[in-house]
Amino acid sequence: MADLVALWEVSLSDGKHRIEFEHGTTSGKRVITVDGKEVLRKNWMFKLVGRETFNIGKVKGTINIDASGGFSYEYTLDVDGKSLKKFVEQRSKTARVWCTSVAGMDYRIVLEKDTMDVWCNGAVLDTAGEFVDDGTETHFNLPGSDHSAYIKAVSSGKRREGIIHVLFVNGIEVPESND
């Protein structure tokens, strides 16, 4: 990987993905690796700038290669048609993430607020919704265990904050992750 010029980490519902980009600035060689697997290779290209599109899980990614003066280049990543920064901002509004360890097993639980899908370690879970006095609860079991969990949704009482989502595993609140 002598020509590694860029590295990004992207958090999606199915997990964190590591994107590496190699660019041979004399040969034009381009190699994209996602989670250690090569997904694109072009060994010889006369055009040193441009864009390469590939998949990050089920989402489209694009690496933009732009000249930034002389023989130097700038590399940017677009995810799902948006700049990485915009994608991360939007994602922070539409998803909640919790990371916890129960009985020696690590779990990464994601709530997609727009679809109300609950993901755990990269897979969508079967859930059961229930109305309670102060909001709703979405119940599920952690995969590979008999540990029960639920996400409680309650109104914040403030219009700008909206609905607050809290995860409970075995009745104990789990703090939200900065993932």
Side-chain angles (χ1 to χ4, degrees):
M1 285 216 194
D3 296 325
L4 183 66
V5 294
L7 171 70
W8 297 275
E9 283 200 353
V10 178
S11 291
L12 300 174
S13 296
D14 64 350
K16 280 188 176 183
H17 298 279
R18 179 183 171 104
I19 295 112
E20 297 176 355
F21 182 56
E22 294 179 47
H23 186 218
T25 55
T26 53
S27 67
K29 176 183 87 168
R30 298 175 187 180
V31 179
I32 299 174
T33 307
V34 178
D35 300 329
K37 294 179 185 160
E38 191 175 293
V39 297
L40 183 134
R41 174 179 287 272
K42 294 183 179 174
N43 284 320
W44 187 263
M45 295 187 65
F46 292 106
K47 190 173 181 189
L48 296 176
V49 296
R51 60 184 350 141
E52 296 296 342
T53 301
F54 59 100
N55 289 327
I56 309 167
K58 294 184 179 183
V59 176
K60 186 176 92 168
T62 303
I63 295 176
N64 302 296
I65 308 154
D66 297 304
S68 63
F71 288 101
S72 61
Y73 299 89
E74 182 177 296
Y75 308 95
T76 57
L77 176 66
D78 291 345
V79 179
D80 207 18
K82 300 167 199 67
S83 71
L84 182 58
K85 182 180 177 187
K86 278 268 191 236
F87 177 81
V88 169
E89 286 172 4
Q90 181 182 354
R91 180 133 179 88
S92 71
K93 295 174 186 172
T94 61
R96 291 289 170 260
V97 180
W98 298 270
C99 294
T100 189
S101 205
V102 180
M105 293 278 299
D106 291 332
Y107 297 98
R108 181 177 181 270
I109 300 161
V110 179
L111 169 67
E112 292 286 346
K113 294 185 344 181
D114 51 354
T115 61
M116 294 307 289
D117 284 340
V118 176
W119 293 70
C120 184
N121 295 351
V124 178
L125 300 179
D126 290 328
T127 61
E130 173 183 358
F131 289 101
V132 294
D133 288 341
D134 54 350
T136 63
E137 293 178 355
T138 303
H139 293 263
F140 55 94
N141 286 322
L142 296 178
S145 76
D146 58 356
H147 298 286
S148 63
Y150 66 92
I151 298 172
K152 186 168 189 141
V154 295
S155 172
S156 65
K158 299 175 184 164
R159 187 174 187 175
R160 292 187 70 51
E161 287 181 31
I163 296 174
I164 297 172
H165 297 89
V166 182
L167 172 68
F168 292 88
V169 176
N170 296 330
I172 300 169
E173 184 175 338
V174 176
E176 195 170 332
S177 174
N178 293 330
D179 190 85

